[in-house]
Amino acid sequence: MKINARYLDLQESYLFANIARKVADYQQAHPDAKILRLGIGDVTRPLAPQVVAAMRQAVDEMGGEAGFRGYGPEQGYAFLRQAIVENYARRAVALAPDEVFVSDGAKSDLGNLLDIFDVDNTVLIPDPVYPVYVDTNIMAGRRIAYLHASAANAFLPMPQKDTRAGIIYLCSPNNPTGAVYDRTQLKAWVDYANTQGAVILFDAAYEAFIQGEDYPRSIYEISGAETCAIEVCSLSKTAGFTGVRCGYTVVPKALVRQDAALNHLWLRRQTTKFNGVSYIVQRGAEAAFTPEGRAQCMERIAYYRKNCRIIATALDACGVRYTGGTHAPYIWMQCPDGMDSWQFFDALLAQAHIVGTPGAGFGANGEGFFRLSGFGSRETALRAAEALQAFLRA
């Protein structure tokens, strides 16, 4: 027996597991401290009433002989796939239901999609970015090249003609920086991928936070994307499904490489390795796409946006540079006084009892920056803004 030795190349622990351990140790040593959690991007608002009602009805159906269901279709029930297709149509994006694959979340699909690609591919990954992209490719043994994001390019790196890659990860709105690509920038990426024969894995988990028409919520709003891009989306942030688990991936039938339709390859992979999302969850997801459900979900998005404005106002008052908070639920701030991101984490926890996420955990270019989340309660945002302001002025 031989283990996959590439796992030994990973960092000792996953970023957020490390944060949880440090916070637990601090809380044990200081049991009276009231921790203000602005770290992990987990939602706090309850599910929309429309979603809850649909899931309750689905539970009742499952409790009777007429409505009981066993295994469902691995790619998702037709009713949910159709609802997703209609949601895209509202943005003038035409999809067929069999181009949509329902899953248990974006994180799973972002890792599992690698099954349909050969290990002998160079992967282009932004830095800083969500660590799952890097870790899953290290596990597989692929070559990784980095797109360097910094304040100089507004944390929105663009393609370089002398860089070649088979797989390209893009995240817009970006986690952790909150930066979002506009139409012209995304068109440049689509043209680059089509020219090189590369495939873009487009992470749109935070698309519901985008405001205005200048910034696409789907890469398929860009002409040519259907021949080079796979889009991964999630209801975790859009509808508060972080604990319910439901997302979806779009693989256009026009996306062909080496005479193979990637849509067919992904279908083959899912029918082999995935048993689908529960009927109850999919009925709840369907309800999130109804007019009433969308309105209720957007009320929750607006709540998180206001939390970001509260935190941003505190940073503005202290003259701290940051990005994000407008089209994404995260604020990406520069650490004060030349502190590195873990030093700032420790100081902020000890002196202000605030938990955030060190930028270094998202890549080398994240060093010197810090992510704050707007996903907490309003009380947490208000108290954290006050404590943060006092800490930065001390």
Side-chain angles (χ1 to χ4, degrees), residues 157-233:
M158 297 301 294
Q160 303 298 317
K161 291 182 179 179
D162 58 347
T163 301
R164 296 192 60 83
I167 303 169
I168 302 166
Y169 283 83
L170 295 180
C171 181
S172 180
N174 181 272
N175 175 15
T177 69
V180 58
Y181 283 109
D182 64 25
R183 295 183 183 278
T184 301
Q185 291 168 323
L186 272 188
K187 177 59 175 172
W189 273 113
V190 166
D191 290 346
Y192 173 80
N194 276 322
T195 298
Q196 295 217 12
V199 173
I200 295 171
L201 301 184
F202 189 76
D203 185 351
Y206 297 94
E207 55 85 16
F209 284 86
I210 293 177
Q211 302 181 77
E213 296 301 318
D214 294 335
Y215 302 97
R217 290 176 60 175
S218 167
I219 197 168
Y220 302 121
E221 296 177 47
I222 306 301
S223 62
E226 69 280 0
T227 59
C228 70
I230 294 173
E231 182 162 291
V232 181
C233 205

Side-chain angles (χ1 to χ4, degrees), residues 45-365:
R45 305 303 296 159
L47 294 172
Q50 194 79 6
V51 170
V52 173
M55 293 176 74
R56 282 182 175 149
Q57 182 177 337
V59 169
D60 289 341
E61 290 178 35
M62 293 288 281
E65 288 189 15
F68 176 77
R69 290 166 175 81
Y71 290 122
E74 294 91 346
Q75 62 269 46
Y77 283 99
F79 61 79
L80 178 53
R81 298 167 83 190
Q82 183 60 37
I84 294 168
V85 166
E86 291 172 2
N87 187 56
Y88 274 94
R90 281 187 279 271
R91 300 200 293 274
V93 173
L95 297 176
D98 58 359
E99 294 178 306
V100 175
F101 298 81
V102 178
S103 73
D104 61 357
K107 183 177 182 179
S108 299
D109 279 1
L110 286 164
N112 293 334
L113 277 163
L114 296 173
D115 281 3
I116 67 173
F117 300 108
D118 193 89
V119 172
D120 188 21
N121 273 295
T122 295
V123 184
L124 199 54
I125 300 178
D127 179 355
V129 82
Y130 189 41
V132 168
Y133 306 167
V134 174
D135 286 355
T136 51
N137 279 286
I138 290 175
M139 291 171 182
R142 288 185 181 85
R143 297 181 299 276
I144 298 175
Y146 290 98
L147 287 163
H148 294 287
S150 67
N153 58 21
F155 293 99
L156 293 168
M158 297 301 294
Q160 303 298 317
K161 291 182 179 179
D162 58 347
T163 301
R164 296 192 60 83
I167 303 169
I168 302 166
Y169 283 83
L170 295 180
C171 181
S172 180
N174 181 272
N175 175 15
T177 69
V180 58
Y181 283 109
D182 64 25
R183 295 183 183 278
T184 301
Q185 291 168 323
L186 272 188
K187 177 59 175 172
W189 273 113
V190 166
D191 290 346
Y192 173 80
N194 276 322
T195 298
Q196 295 217 12
V199 173
I200 295 171
L201 301 184
F202 189 76
D203 185 351
Y206 297 94
E207 55 85 16
F209 284 86
I210 293 177
Q211 302 181 77
E213 296 301 318
D214 294 335
Y215 302 97
R217 290 176 60 175
S218 167
I219 197 168
Y220 302 121
E221 296 177 47
I222 306 301
S223 62
E226 69 280 0
T227 59
C228 70
I230 294 173
E231 182 162 291
V232 181
C233 205
S234 170
L235 276 79
S236 286
K237 308 309 190 296
T238 302
F241 273 39
T242 54
V244 176
R245 306 311 304 153
C246 191
Y248 52 92
T249 289
V250 177
V251 187
K253 285 180 282 190
L255 179 50
V256 176
R257 293 292 182 271
Q258 295 177 285
D259 297 323
L262 271 61
N263 178 282
H264 176 74
L265 298 183
W266 183 237
L267 175 63
R268 187 68 177 86
R269 189 270 174 203
Q270 291 297 81
T271 53
T272 301
K273 291 190 175 184
F274 185 58
N275 264 343
V277 177
S278 83
Y279 173 74
I280 296 165
V281 168
Q282 291 194 57
R283 280 299 186 190
E286 178 194 28
F289 290 109
T290 64
E292 298 87 350
R294 291 200 312 274
Q296 292 168 1
C297 289
M298 289 310 296
E299 288 175 3
R300 286 148 178 78
I301 297 291
Y303 180 96
Y304 298 133
R305 284 199 192 109
K306 186 169 182 180
N307 282 350
C308 283
R309 289 198 298 274
I310 290 168
I311 297 166
T313 298
L315 296 179
D316 288 335
C318 297
V320 175
R321 294 175 58 187
Y322 63 90
T323 60
T326 301
H327 302 289
Y330 301 122
I331 290 175
W332 182 248
M333 62 171 287
Q334 188 166 14
C335 297
D337 303 323
M339 299 175 76
D340 71 39
S341 55
W342 279 107
Q343 286 176 333
F344 185 62
F345 175 92
D346 291 336
L348 196 62
L349 176 59
Q351 298 177 42
H353 298 165
I354 295 174
V355 176
T357 309
F362 297 100
N365 286 359

Side-chain angles (χ1 to χ4, degrees), residues 17-29:
N18 194 22
I19 290 171
R21 179 187 56 78
K22 289 174 74 74
V23 173
D25 289 347
Y26 182 85
Q27 189 77 81
Q28 185 175 10

